[in-house]
Amino acid sequence: MISNPIVFYIASFIIISFAFIAVFLKNIIYSLLSAIMVFFAASIFFYVLGSEYNAIIQAAIYGLAVPVIIGISIMFTTGNEKQKQGFTLPYVTILSGAIFILAFVYIIMISLVMIPNSFHFMNLQQFNSYDVISEFARGIFIDYVWAFELLSLLLTIIIAGFTVFRRRGG
Amino acid sequence: MEITIYHYLSIGLILFIIGLVGSIISKNVIKVLISIEFMLTGVNINFVTFAAYCGNDKFDGFIMALFYVGIGAVELAVALYIFYLMFQKKETDCIEKYSEL
């Protein structure tokens, strides 16, 4: 765990300010971009708290995958035809640029996980990265294997449900 | 000044409250979904904080947070699909028009 007040206060400021912006801004694309910042700041919190694996998952799913899905939904649904012609391209450009920048951050974080002993940041880390990954693997595949299988089953049911609904023309 | 567990818990609480307020006052369906994700993230911060500060030899809290991220992504996918189906019928993203499913 890294108990550095500067990191904590910067991440807190980013989380609170961008969460306010995301909620109260009228433009939905800017709101989405602010939400991405909130999710990445949350991953900084996880990293600071000593959970690098959670930080990576948070950055990958909430920082990259979820905004892409929401952005595609916005592009499909926002505005009438005149607005779509004028605004879709800038929206796509802004969203793609932001996603690419965040993808670079994600790659850097992944490389930090993969390099041995890279998490001995200022000698304040509790665990070696190999220990962290092996402990996570033991927890997911041995201790909480039923929860893991239930989540997998849930995902499979959802994918099958989407396919069935689409074939029925829903 | 030392950072304690209460600092992290208060940030999680603030994020949860912002998400709750946003999900109540927002008119746009997608903004409501984003606010709900804020609430999930706030809860997740609490999970990881308790795991980090309250004895975490087996990473139990971290693994629970991992499952929570997965469930949150599933919930978002289902909600967006329902929104897509509703948008085809109502042709608007204003949540007030979605009072009847």
Side-chain angles (χ1 to χ4, degrees), chain A residues 104-167:
Chain A
F104 274 116
V105 177
Y106 173 62
I107 289 167
I108 290 166
M109 291 174 77
I110 281 284
S111 63
L112 284 174
V113 169
M114 293 302 170
I115 298 167
N117 303 323
S118 63
F119 277 118
H120 289 289
F121 181 69
M122 293 188 298
N123 297 323
L124 289 172
Q125 288 299 124
Q126 283 180 324
F127 303 101
N128 189 311
S129 55
Y130 287 145
D131 295 339
V132 172
I133 292 173
S134 63
E135 280 296 318
F136 262 98
R138 192 187 55 75
I140 292 171
F141 297 119
I142 295 173
D143 293 344
Y144 297 101
V145 66
W146 285 108
F148 179 73
E149 293 297 334
L150 275 175
L151 190 61
S152 310
L153 189 66
L154 194 63
L155 285 165
T156 312
I157 288 169
I158 285 166
I159 292 168
F162 283 170
T163 312
V164 169
F165 272 118
R166 287 311 303 162
R167 281 180 177 273

Short mmCIF file of all heavy atoms in Angstrom, two decimals, chain A residues 104-167:
data_model
loop_
_atom_site.label_atom_id
_atom_site.label_comp_id
_atom_site.label_asym_id
_atom_site.label_seq_id
_atom_site.Cartn_x
_atom_site.Cartn_y
_atom_site.Cartn_z
N PHE A 104 -3.14 3.50 -23.93
CA PHE A 104 -1.70 3.58 -23.65
C PHE A 104 -1.45 3.50 -22.15
O PHE A 104 -0.51 2.80 -21.71
CB PHE A 104 -1.13 4.89 -24.20
CG PHE A 104 -0.74 4.82 -25.64
CD1 PHE A 104 -1.38 5.57 -26.58
CD2 PHE A 104 0.28 3.96 -26.04
CE1 PHE A 104 -1.03 5.48 -27.92
CE2 PHE A 104 0.64 3.87 -27.36
CZ PHE A 104 -0.02 4.63 -28.31
N VAL A 105 -2.27 4.18 -21.38
CA VAL A 105 -2.13 4.10 -19.91
C VAL A 105 -2.32 2.67 -19.45
O VAL A 105 -1.58 2.15 -18.60
CB VAL A 105 -3.15 5.04 -19.24
CG1 VAL A 105 -3.07 4.92 -17.72
CG2 VAL A 105 -2.90 6.48 -19.65
N TYR A 106 -3.31 2.01 -20.04
CA TYR A 106 -3.61 0.62 -19.68
C TYR A 106 -2.42 -0.28 -20.01
O TYR A 106 -2.04 -1.14 -19.20
CB TYR A 106 -4.85 0.18 -20.44
CG TYR A 106 -5.19 -1.27 -20.30
CD1 TYR A 106 -5.49 -1.82 -19.06
CD2 TYR A 106 -5.21 -2.10 -21.41
CE1 TYR A 106 -5.79 -3.16 -18.94
CE2 TYR A 106 -5.51 -3.44 -21.29
CZ TYR A 106 -5.80 -3.96 -20.05
OH TYR A 106 -6.10 -5.28 -19.93
N ILE A 107 -1.81 -0.07 -21.18
CA ILE A 107 -0.66 -0.89 -21.57
C ILE A 107 0.50 -0.67 -20.60
O ILE A 107 1.19 -1.61 -20.20
CB ILE A 107 -0.24 -0.55 -23.02
CG1 ILE A 107 -1.28 -1.09 -23.99
CG2 ILE A 107 1.12 -1.13 -23.35
CD1 ILE A 107 -1.13 -0.56 -25.39
N ILE A 108 0.69 0.57 -20.19
CA ILE A 108 1.77 0.85 -19.22
C ILE A 108 1.51 0.13 -17.91
O ILE A 108 2.40 -0.49 -17.32
CB ILE A 108 1.88 2.38 -19.00
CG1 ILE A 108 2.45 3.05 -20.26
CG2 ILE A 108 2.78 2.69 -17.81
CD1 ILE A 108 2.30 4.53 -20.27
N MET A 109 0.22 0.15 -17.47
CA MET A 109 -0.10 -0.53 -16.22
C MET A 109 0.10 -2.03 -16.34
O MET A 109 0.60 -2.69 -15.42
CB MET A 109 -1.53 -0.20 -15.81
CG MET A 109 -1.71 1.25 -15.40
SD MET A 109 -3.41 1.69 -15.08
CE MET A 109 -3.65 0.96 -13.48
N ILE A 110 -0.32 -2.59 -17.49
CA ILE A 110 -0.13 -4.02 -17.72
C ILE A 110 1.35 -4.37 -17.69
O ILE A 110 1.76 -5.37 -17.09
CB ILE A 110 -0.74 -4.41 -19.09
CG1 ILE A 110 -2.26 -4.54 -19.00
CG2 ILE A 110 -0.14 -5.72 -19.61
CD1 ILE A 110 -2.74 -5.79 -18.35
N SER A 111 2.18 -3.53 -18.32
CA SER A 111 3.61 -3.82 -18.35
C SER A 111 4.19 -3.76 -16.94
O SER A 111 5.10 -4.51 -16.59
CB SER A 111 4.33 -2.84 -19.26
OG SER A 111 4.19 -1.54 -18.76
N LEU A 112 3.64 -2.89 -16.10
CA LEU A 112 4.11 -2.83 -14.71
C LEU A 112 3.78 -4.11 -13.96
O LEU A 112 4.54 -4.54 -13.09
CB LEU A 112 3.48 -1.63 -14.00
CG LEU A 112 4.07 -0.27 -14.33
CD1 LEU A 112 3.25 0.82 -13.66
CD2 LEU A 112 5.50 -0.18 -13.87
N VAL A 113 2.63 -4.70 -14.30
CA VAL A 113 2.27 -5.96 -13.65
C VAL A 113 3.19 -7.08 -14.12
O VAL A 113 3.64 -7.92 -13.33
CB VAL A 113 0.80 -6.31 -13.94
CG1 VAL A 113 0.49 -7.74 -13.50
CG2 VAL A 113 -0.12 -5.35 -13.22
N MET A 114 3.48 -7.09 -15.42
CA MET A 114 4.23 -8.21 -16.00
C MET A 114 5.71 -8.20 -15.61
O MET A 114 6.33 -9.24 -15.49
CB MET A 114 4.12 -8.19 -17.53
CG MET A 114 2.73 -8.46 -18.03
SD MET A 114 2.17 -10.06 -17.44
CE MET A 114 0.46 -10.00 -17.88
N ILE A 115 6.30 -7.01 -15.44
CA ILE A 115 7.73 -6.96 -15.13
C ILE A 115 7.94 -7.38 -13.67
O ILE A 115 7.32 -6.81 -12.78
CB ILE A 115 8.28 -5.53 -15.36
CG1 ILE A 115 8.13 -5.15 -16.83
CG2 ILE A 115 9.73 -5.44 -14.94
CD1 ILE A 115 8.34 -3.68 -17.08
N PRO A 116 8.79 -8.36 -13.42
CA PRO A 116 9.00 -8.81 -12.04
C PRO A 116 9.55 -7.68 -11.17
O PRO A 116 10.40 -6.90 -11.59
CB PRO A 116 10.04 -9.94 -12.19
CG PRO A 116 9.96 -10.35 -13.60
CD PRO A 116 9.54 -9.16 -14.39
N ASN A 117 9.05 -7.62 -9.97
CA ASN A 117 9.48 -6.65 -8.96
C ASN A 117 9.23 -5.19 -9.35
O ASN A 117 9.77 -4.28 -8.73
CB ASN A 117 10.97 -6.80 -8.64
CG ASN A 117 11.29 -8.19 -8.16
OD1 ASN A 117 10.49 -8.80 -7.46
ND2 ASN A 117 12.44 -8.71 -8.55
N SER A 118 8.42 -4.97 -10.37
CA SER A 118 8.20 -3.58 -10.78
C SER A 118 7.32 -2.84 -9.80
O SER A 118 7.29 -1.63 -9.79
CB SER A 118 7.54 -3.56 -12.15
OG SER A 118 6.29 -4.18 -12.08
N PHE A 119 6.58 -3.59 -8.98
CA PHE A 119 5.70 -2.92 -8.04
C PHE A 119 6.36 -2.60 -6.71
O PHE A 119 5.69 -2.19 -5.78
CB PHE A 119 4.43 -3.75 -7.81
CG PHE A 119 3.42 -3.51 -8.87
CD1 PHE A 119 3.00 -4.53 -9.69
CD2 PHE A 119 2.90 -2.26 -9.07
CE1 PHE A 119 2.07 -4.30 -10.67
CE2 PHE A 119 1.97 -2.01 -10.04
CZ PHE A 119 1.56 -3.04 -10.85
N HIS A 120 7.65 -2.80 -6.62
CA HIS A 120 8.33 -2.37 -5.40
C HIS A 120 8.60 -0.88 -5.50
O HIS A 120 9.74 -0.42 -5.55
CB HIS A 120 9.62 -3.16 -5.19
CG HIS A 120 9.34 -4.57 -4.81
ND1 HIS A 120 8.85 -4.92 -3.58
CD2 HIS A 120 9.45 -5.72 -5.50
CE1 HIS A 120 8.69 -6.22 -3.52
NE2 HIS A 120 9.03 -6.74 -4.68
N PHE A 121 7.53 -0.15 -5.56
CA PHE A 121 7.57 1.28 -5.76
C PHE A 121 7.98 1.96 -4.46
O PHE A 121 7.25 1.94 -3.49
CB PHE A 121 6.18 1.75 -6.21
CG PHE A 121 6.07 3.20 -6.48
CD1 PHE A 121 6.72 3.77 -7.55
CD2 PHE A 121 5.31 4.02 -5.67
CE1 PHE A 121 6.60 5.12 -7.81
CE2 PHE A 121 5.19 5.36 -5.91
CZ PHE A 121 5.84 5.91 -6.99
N MET A 122 9.15 2.51 -4.44
CA MET A 122 9.72 3.18 -3.26
C MET A 122 9.72 2.25 -2.03
O MET A 122 9.55 2.68 -0.90
CB MET A 122 8.95 4.46 -2.93
CG MET A 122 9.11 5.53 -3.98
SD MET A 122 8.42 7.09 -3.49
CE MET A 122 6.71 6.70 -3.31
N ASN A 123 9.85 0.96 -2.28
CA ASN A 123 9.90 -0.05 -1.21
C ASN A 123 8.69 0.00 -0.27
O ASN A 123 8.78 -0.36 0.89
CB ASN A 123 11.18 0.10 -0.39
CG ASN A 123 12.41 -0.14 -1.22
OD1 ASN A 123 12.40 -1.02 -2.09
ND2 ASN A 123 13.45 0.62 -0.97
N LEU A 124 7.57 0.42 -0.80
CA LEU A 124 6.37 0.50 0.04
C LEU A 124 5.36 -0.58 -0.30
O LEU A 124 4.31 -0.66 0.32
CB LEU A 124 5.70 1.88 -0.12
CG LEU A 124 6.47 3.03 0.51
CD1 LEU A 124 5.84 4.35 0.14
CD2 LEU A 124 6.51 2.89 2.01
N GLN A 125 5.65 -1.39 -1.30
CA GLN A 125 4.69 -2.43 -1.68
C GLN A 125 4.78 -3.62 -0.71
O GLN A 125 5.86 -3.98 -0.25
CB GLN A 125 4.96 -2.92 -3.10
CG GLN A 125 4.57 -1.91 -4.15
CD GLN A 125 3.10 -1.62 -4.10
OE1 GLN A 125 2.72 -0.48 -3.96
NE2 GLN A 125 2.28 -2.62 -4.15
N GLN A 126 3.64 -4.21 -0.45
CA GLN A 126 3.61 -5.34 0.47
C GLN A 126 4.00 -6.64 -0.21
O GLN A 126 4.62 -7.49 0.38
CB GLN A 126 2.20 -5.50 1.04
CG GLN A 126 1.86 -4.48 2.11
CD GLN A 126 0.47 -4.71 2.62
OE1 GLN A 126 -0.41 -5.09 1.88
NE2 GLN A 126 0.27 -4.48 3.89
N PHE A 127 3.56 -6.81 -1.49
CA PHE A 127 3.67 -8.12 -2.11
C PHE A 127 4.45 -8.02 -3.42
O PHE A 127 4.42 -7.01 -4.10
CB PHE A 127 2.27 -8.67 -2.44
CG PHE A 127 1.39 -8.77 -1.24
CD1 PHE A 127 0.42 -7.80 -1.01
CD2 PHE A 127 1.53 -9.80 -0.34
CE1 PHE A 127 -0.39 -7.88 0.09
CE2 PHE A 127 0.72 -9.87 0.76
CZ PHE A 127 -0.24 -8.92 0.98
N ASN A 128 5.09 -9.13 -3.75
CA ASN A 128 5.67 -9.27 -5.08
C ASN A 128 4.52 -9.49 -6.08
O ASN A 128 3.49 -10.04 -5.73
CB ASN A 128 6.60 -10.49 -5.07
CG ASN A 128 7.40 -10.59 -6.33
OD1 ASN A 128 6.85 -10.51 -7.41
ND2 ASN A 128 8.69 -10.78 -6.19
N SER A 129 4.72 -9.07 -7.34
CA SER A 129 3.64 -9.20 -8.31
C SER A 129 3.30 -10.67 -8.57
O SER A 129 2.15 -11.01 -8.80
CB SER A 129 4.02 -8.50 -9.61
OG SER A 129 5.23 -9.02 -10.08
N TYR A 130 4.30 -11.56 -8.51
CA TYR A 130 4.01 -12.99 -8.70
C TYR A 130 3.12 -13.50 -7.57
O TYR A 130 2.19 -14.28 -7.80
CB TYR A 130 5.32 -13.79 -8.72
CG TYR A 130 6.11 -13.60 -9.98
CD1 TYR A 130 7.50 -13.60 -9.95
CD2 TYR A 130 5.48 -13.45 -11.21
CE1 TYR A 130 8.24 -13.44 -11.10
CE2 TYR A 130 6.20 -13.28 -12.36
CZ TYR A 130 7.58 -13.26 -12.31
OH TYR A 130 8.30 -13.09 -13.45
N ASP A 131 3.38 -13.06 -6.36
CA ASP A 131 2.55 -13.48 -5.24
C ASP A 131 1.12 -13.00 -5.41
O ASP A 131 0.17 -13.73 -5.12
CB ASP A 131 3.11 -12.91 -3.93
CG ASP A 131 4.47 -13.49 -3.61
OD1 ASP A 131 4.76 -14.57 -4.14
OD2 ASP A 131 5.22 -12.85 -2.85
N VAL A 132 0.96 -11.77 -5.89
CA VAL A 132 -0.37 -11.21 -6.07
C VAL A 132 -1.16 -12.04 -7.07
O VAL A 132 -2.30 -12.45 -6.82
CB VAL A 132 -0.28 -9.75 -6.55
CG1 VAL A 132 -1.65 -9.23 -6.94
CG2 VAL A 132 0.33 -8.88 -5.49
N ILE A 133 -0.54 -12.34 -8.22
CA ILE A 133 -1.24 -13.08 -9.26
C ILE A 133 -1.55 -14.49 -8.80
O ILE A 133 -2.66 -15.01 -9.01
CB ILE A 133 -0.41 -13.07 -10.57
CG1 ILE A 133 -0.37 -11.65 -11.13
CG2 ILE A 133 -0.99 -14.01 -11.60
CD1 ILE A 133 0.55 -11.46 -12.29
N SER A 134 -0.61 -15.14 -8.12
CA SER A 134 -0.87 -16.51 -7.66
C SER A 134 -1.96 -16.53 -6.59
O SER A 134 -2.80 -17.42 -6.57
CB SER A 134 0.42 -17.14 -7.13
OG SER A 134 0.86 -16.41 -6.02
N GLU A 135 -1.98 -15.50 -5.73
CA GLU A 135 -3.03 -15.44 -4.71
C GLU A 135 -4.39 -15.20 -5.35
O GLU A 135 -5.40 -15.78 -4.94
CB GLU A 135 -2.73 -14.32 -3.71
CG GLU A 135 -1.71 -14.69 -2.66
CD GLU A 135 -2.19 -15.80 -1.75
OE1 GLU A 135 -3.37 -15.77 -1.36
OE2 GLU A 135 -1.41 -16.71 -1.46
N PHE A 136 -4.43 -14.34 -6.36
CA PHE A 136 -5.69 -14.11 -7.06
C PHE A 136 -6.17 -15.40 -7.74
O PHE A 136 -7.35 -15.74 -7.69
CB PHE A 136 -5.52 -13.00 -8.10
CG PHE A 136 -5.99 -11.67 -7.64
CD1 PHE A 136 -5.11 -10.74 -7.15
CD2 PHE A 136 -7.34 -11.35 -7.68
CE1 PHE A 136 -5.54 -9.52 -6.71
CE2 PHE A 136 -7.77 -10.13 -7.24
CZ PHE A 136 -6.87 -9.20 -6.75
N ALA A 137 -5.25 -16.08 -8.39
CA ALA A 137 -5.62 -17.32 -9.09
C ALA A 137 -6.15 -18.35 -8.09
O ALA A 137 -7.15 -19.01 -8.35
CB ALA A 137 -4.41 -17.87 -9.83
N ARG A 138 -5.49 -18.46 -6.95
CA ARG A 138 -5.96 -19.41 -5.94
C ARG A 138 -7.35 -19.03 -5.43
O ARG A 138 -8.22 -19.88 -5.26
CB ARG A 138 -4.97 -19.45 -4.77
CG ARG A 138 -5.18 -20.59 -3.80
CD ARG A 138 -4.26 -20.46 -2.60
NE ARG A 138 -4.40 -19.18 -1.94
CZ ARG A 138 -5.43 -18.85 -1.17
NH1 ARG A 138 -6.39 -19.72 -0.96
NH2 ARG A 138 -5.50 -17.67 -0.60
N GLY A 139 -7.56 -17.72 -5.22
CA GLY A 139 -8.86 -17.28 -4.74
C GLY A 139 -9.97 -17.52 -5.74
O GLY A 139 -11.05 -18.01 -5.39
N ILE A 140 -9.69 -17.19 -7.01
CA ILE A 140 -10.74 -17.31 -8.03
C ILE A 140 -11.02 -18.76 -8.37
O ILE A 140 -12.17 -19.18 -8.45
CB ILE A 140 -10.34 -16.52 -9.29
CG1 ILE A 140 -10.35 -15.03 -8.99
CG2 ILE A 140 -11.29 -16.81 -10.44
CD1 ILE A 140 -9.77 -14.19 -10.10
N PHE A 141 -9.97 -19.56 -8.55
CA PHE A 141 -10.17 -20.91 -9.07
C PHE A 141 -10.26 -21.98 -7.99
O PHE A 141 -10.55 -23.13 -8.30
CB PHE A 141 -9.02 -21.26 -10.03
CG PHE A 141 -8.99 -20.37 -11.24
CD1 PHE A 141 -7.89 -19.58 -11.51
CD2 PHE A 141 -10.08 -20.32 -12.09
CE1 PHE A 141 -7.87 -18.76 -12.61
CE2 PHE A 141 -10.07 -19.50 -13.20
CZ PHE A 141 -8.96 -18.71 -13.46
N ILE A 142 -10.02 -21.63 -6.74
CA ILE A 142 -10.12 -22.65 -5.67
C ILE A 142 -11.12 -22.19 -4.60
O ILE A 142 -12.14 -22.81 -4.38
CB ILE A 142 -8.74 -22.93 -5.04
CG1 ILE A 142 -7.82 -23.56 -6.10
CG2 ILE A 142 -8.88 -23.88 -3.85
CD1 ILE A 142 -6.39 -23.73 -5.66
N ASP A 143 -10.83 -21.05 -3.97
CA ASP A 143 -11.67 -20.63 -2.84
C ASP A 143 -13.05 -20.18 -3.28
O ASP A 143 -14.05 -20.50 -2.64
CB ASP A 143 -10.98 -19.50 -2.07
CG ASP A 143 -9.72 -19.96 -1.38
OD1 ASP A 143 -9.56 -21.20 -1.25
OD2 ASP A 143 -8.90 -19.12 -0.99
N TYR A 144 -13.11 -19.39 -4.35
CA TYR A 144 -14.39 -18.83 -4.79
C TYR A 144 -14.75 -19.34 -6.17
O TYR A 144 -15.25 -18.59 -7.02
CB TYR A 144 -14.31 -17.30 -4.79
CG TYR A 144 -14.08 -16.72 -3.42
CD1 TYR A 144 -12.83 -16.30 -3.03
CD2 TYR A 144 -15.12 -16.64 -2.50
CE1 TYR A 144 -12.59 -15.79 -1.77
CE2 TYR A 144 -14.90 -16.15 -1.24
CZ TYR A 144 -13.65 -15.72 -0.89
OH TYR A 144 -13.43 -15.23 0.37
N VAL A 145 -14.50 -20.61 -6.40
CA VAL A 145 -14.74 -21.16 -7.74
C VAL A 145 -16.22 -21.16 -8.09
O VAL A 145 -16.61 -20.95 -9.24
CB VAL A 145 -14.10 -22.56 -7.86
CG1 VAL A 145 -14.81 -23.55 -6.96
CG2 VAL A 145 -14.09 -23.02 -9.30
N TRP A 146 -17.10 -21.32 -7.07
CA TRP A 146 -18.54 -21.34 -7.36
C TRP A 146 -19.03 -19.96 -7.78
O TRP A 146 -19.83 -19.84 -8.71
CB TRP A 146 -19.33 -21.82 -6.13
CG TRP A 146 -19.19 -23.29 -5.94
CD1 TRP A 146 -18.48 -23.94 -4.96
CD2 TRP A 146 -19.72 -24.33 -6.77
NE1 TRP A 146 -18.54 -25.29 -5.13
CE2 TRP A 146 -19.30 -25.56 -6.23
CE3 TRP A 146 -20.51 -24.33 -7.91
CZ2 TRP A 146 -19.65 -26.77 -6.79
CZ3 TRP A 146 -20.86 -25.55 -8.47
CH2 TRP A 146 -20.44 -26.75 -7.92
N ALA A 147 -18.54 -18.94 -7.10
CA ALA A 147 -18.91 -17.58 -7.51
C ALA A 147 -18.41 -17.28 -8.92
O ALA A 147 -19.12 -16.68 -9.74
CB ALA A 147 -18.33 -16.57 -6.53
N PHE A 148 -17.20 -17.74 -9.20
CA PHE A 148 -16.63 -17.53 -10.53
C PHE A 148 -17.45 -18.24 -11.60
O PHE A 148 -17.77 -17.67 -12.65
CB PHE A 148 -15.18 -18.04 -10.54
CG PHE A 148 -14.48 -17.90 -11.85
CD1 PHE A 148 -14.08 -16.66 -12.31
CD2 PHE A 148 -14.24 -19.00 -12.64
CE1 PHE A 148 -13.44 -16.53 -13.52
CE2 PHE A 148 -13.60 -18.89 -13.85
CZ PHE A 148 -13.20 -17.65 -14.29
N GLU A 149 -17.84 -19.49 -11.30
CA GLU A 149 -18.64 -20.24 -12.27
C GLU A 149 -20.02 -19.63 -12.44
O GLU A 149 -20.57 -19.60 -13.54
CB GLU A 149 -18.77 -21.70 -11.82
CG GLU A 149 -17.46 -22.47 -11.86
CD GLU A 149 -16.90 -22.59 -13.27
OE1 GLU A 149 -17.68 -22.54 -14.22
OE2 GLU A 149 -15.68 -22.70 -13.40
N LEU A 150 -20.61 -19.12 -11.34
CA LEU A 150 -21.92 -18.48 -11.44
C LEU A 150 -21.86 -17.23 -12.31
O LEU A 150 -22.75 -16.98 -13.13
CB LEU A 150 -22.44 -18.11 -10.05
CG LEU A 150 -23.18 -19.21 -9.30
CD1 LEU A 150 -23.52 -18.73 -7.89
CD2 LEU A 150 -24.46 -19.59 -10.02
N LEU A 151 -20.79 -16.46 -12.14
CA LEU A 151 -20.62 -15.26 -12.97
C LEU A 151 -20.44 -15.63 -14.44
O LEU A 151 -21.02 -15.00 -15.33
CB LEU A 151 -19.42 -14.46 -12.46
CG LEU A 151 -19.24 -13.07 -13.06
CD1 LEU A 151 -20.44 -12.21 -12.74
CD2 LEU A 151 -17.99 -12.42 -12.53
N SER A 152 -19.67 -16.67 -14.68
CA SER A 152 -19.50 -17.14 -16.06
C SER A 152 -20.82 -17.59 -16.66
O SER A 152 -21.13 -17.30 -17.81
CB SER A 152 -18.49 -18.29 -16.10
OG SER A 152 -17.35 -17.96 -15.41
N LEU A 153 -21.62 -18.30 -15.83
CA LEU A 153 -22.93 -18.77 -16.29
C LEU A 153 -23.83 -17.59 -16.61
O LEU A 153 -24.55 -17.59 -17.62
CB LEU A 153 -23.56 -19.65 -15.20
CG LEU A 153 -24.83 -20.40 -15.57
CD1 LEU A 153 -24.53 -21.44 -16.63
CD2 LEU A 153 -25.43 -21.06 -14.35
N LEU A 154 -23.77 -16.57 -15.75
CA LEU A 154 -24.57 -15.36 -15.98
C LEU A 154 -24.21 -14.69 -17.30
O LEU A 154 -25.08 -14.32 -18.10
CB LEU A 154 -24.34 -14.40 -14.82
CG LEU A 154 -25.29 -13.23 -14.63
CD1 LEU A 154 -26.68 -13.74 -14.34
CD2 LEU A 154 -24.81 -12.34 -13.51
N LEU A 155 -22.92 -14.57 -17.55
CA LEU A 155 -22.47 -13.97 -18.82
C LEU A 155 -22.93 -14.80 -20.01
O LEU A 155 -23.37 -14.26 -21.03
CB LEU A 155 -20.95 -13.85 -18.82
CG LEU A 155 -20.37 -12.74 -17.96
CD1 LEU A 155 -18.89 -12.95 -17.75
CD2 LEU A 155 -20.60 -11.40 -18.62
N THR A 156 -22.84 -16.13 -19.89
CA THR A 156 -23.26 -17.00 -20.99
C THR A 156 -24.75 -16.87 -21.25
O THR A 156 -25.19 -16.80 -22.40
CB THR A 156 -22.92 -18.46 -20.64
OG1 THR A 156 -21.59 -18.52 -20.18
CG2 THR A 156 -23.09 -19.36 -21.85
N ILE A 157 -25.54 -16.80 -20.15
CA ILE A 157 -26.99 -16.65 -20.31
C ILE A 157 -27.31 -15.34 -21.01
O ILE A 157 -28.18 -15.28 -21.89
CB ILE A 157 -27.68 -16.72 -18.92
CG1 ILE A 157 -27.64 -18.14 -18.39
CG2 ILE A 157 -29.12 -16.25 -19.01
CD1 ILE A 157 -28.05 -18.26 -16.94
N ILE A 158 -26.59 -14.28 -20.65
CA ILE A 158 -26.85 -12.98 -21.27
C ILE A 158 -26.52 -12.99 -22.75
O ILE A 158 -27.29 -12.51 -23.59
CB ILE A 158 -26.07 -11.88 -20.53
CG1 ILE A 158 -26.76 -11.61 -19.20
CG2 ILE A 158 -26.00 -10.61 -21.34
CD1 ILE A 158 -25.94 -10.83 -18.26
N ILE A 159 -25.40 -13.58 -23.10
CA ILE A 159 -25.02 -13.64 -24.52
C ILE A 159 -26.04 -14.47 -25.30
O ILE A 159 -26.49 -14.08 -26.39
CB ILE A 159 -23.60 -14.24 -24.66
CG1 ILE A 159 -22.58 -13.28 -24.08
CG2 ILE A 159 -23.27 -14.52 -26.12
CD1 ILE A 159 -21.21 -13.85 -23.91
N ALA A 160 -26.45 -15.62 -24.72
CA ALA A 160 -27.45 -16.45 -25.39
C ALA A 160 -28.78 -15.71 -25.50
O ALA A 160 -29.46 -15.77 -26.53
CB ALA A 160 -27.63 -17.76 -24.61
N GLY A 161 -29.13 -14.97 -24.42
CA GLY A 161 -30.39 -14.21 -24.45
C GLY A 161 -30.38 -13.14 -25.52
O GLY A 161 -31.38 -12.96 -26.25
N PHE A 162 -29.27 -12.42 -25.64
CA PHE A 162 -29.18 -11.40 -26.69
C PHE A 162 -29.35 -12.03 -28.07
O PHE A 162 -30.06 -11.49 -28.92
CB PHE A 162 -27.81 -10.71 -26.63
CG PHE A 162 -27.69 -9.70 -25.52
CD1 PHE A 162 -26.46 -9.15 -25.21
CD2 PHE A 162 -28.80 -9.29 -24.81
CE1 PHE A 162 -26.35 -8.21 -24.20
CE2 PHE A 162 -28.69 -8.37 -23.79
CZ PHE A 162 -27.46 -7.83 -23.48
N THR A 163 -28.68 -13.15 -28.26
CA THR A 163 -28.77 -13.82 -29.57
C THR A 163 -30.20 -14.24 -29.87
O THR A 163 -30.70 -14.02 -30.98
CB THR A 163 -27.84 -15.06 -29.57
OG1 THR A 163 -26.58 -14.67 -29.05
CG2 THR A 163 -27.67 -15.58 -30.96
N VAL A 164 -30.87 -14.82 -28.87
CA VAL A 164 -32.25 -15.27 -29.08
C VAL A 164 -33.16 -14.09 -29.39
O VAL A 164 -33.98 -14.13 -30.32
CB VAL A 164 -32.74 -16.04 -27.84
CG1 VAL A 164 -34.24 -16.30 -27.91
CG2 VAL A 164 -32.01 -17.35 -27.72
N PHE A 165 -33.01 -13.00 -28.62
CA PHE A 165 -33.85 -11.82 -28.84
C PHE A 165 -33.62 -11.23 -30.25
O PHE A 165 -34.56 -10.80 -30.91
CB PHE A 165 -33.56 -10.75 -27.79
CG PHE A 165 -34.39 -10.93 -26.55
CD1 PHE A 165 -33.79 -11.18 -25.34
CD2 PHE A 165 -35.77 -10.84 -26.61
CE1 PHE A 165 -34.56 -11.33 -24.20
CE2 PHE A 165 -36.54 -11.00 -25.47
CZ PHE A 165 -35.93 -11.25 -24.27
N ARG A 166 -32.38 -11.19 -30.66
CA ARG A 166 -32.09 -10.63 -31.99
C ARG A 166 -32.68 -11.50 -33.09
O ARG A 166 -33.20 -11.02 -34.08
CB ARG A 166 -30.58 -10.47 -32.21
CG ARG A 166 -29.94 -9.36 -31.45
CD ARG A 166 -30.66 -8.05 -31.56
NE ARG A 166 -30.82 -7.60 -32.94
CZ ARG A 166 -31.70 -6.68 -33.30
NH1 ARG A 166 -32.52 -6.14 -32.44
NH2 ARG A 166 -31.76 -6.30 -34.56
N ARG A 167 -32.62 -12.83 -32.92
CA ARG A 167 -33.16 -13.72 -33.94
C ARG A 167 -34.68 -13.59 -34.03
O ARG A 167 -35.27 -13.79 -35.08
CB ARG A 167 -32.78 -15.17 -33.63
CG ARG A 167 -31.35 -15.49 -34.04
CD ARG A 167 -31.00 -16.92 -33.72
NE ARG A 167 -29.66 -17.22 -34.19
CZ ARG A 167 -29.37 -17.65 -35.42
NH1 ARG A 167 -30.34 -17.82 -36.29
NH2 ARG A 167 -28.13 -17.91 -35.76
#
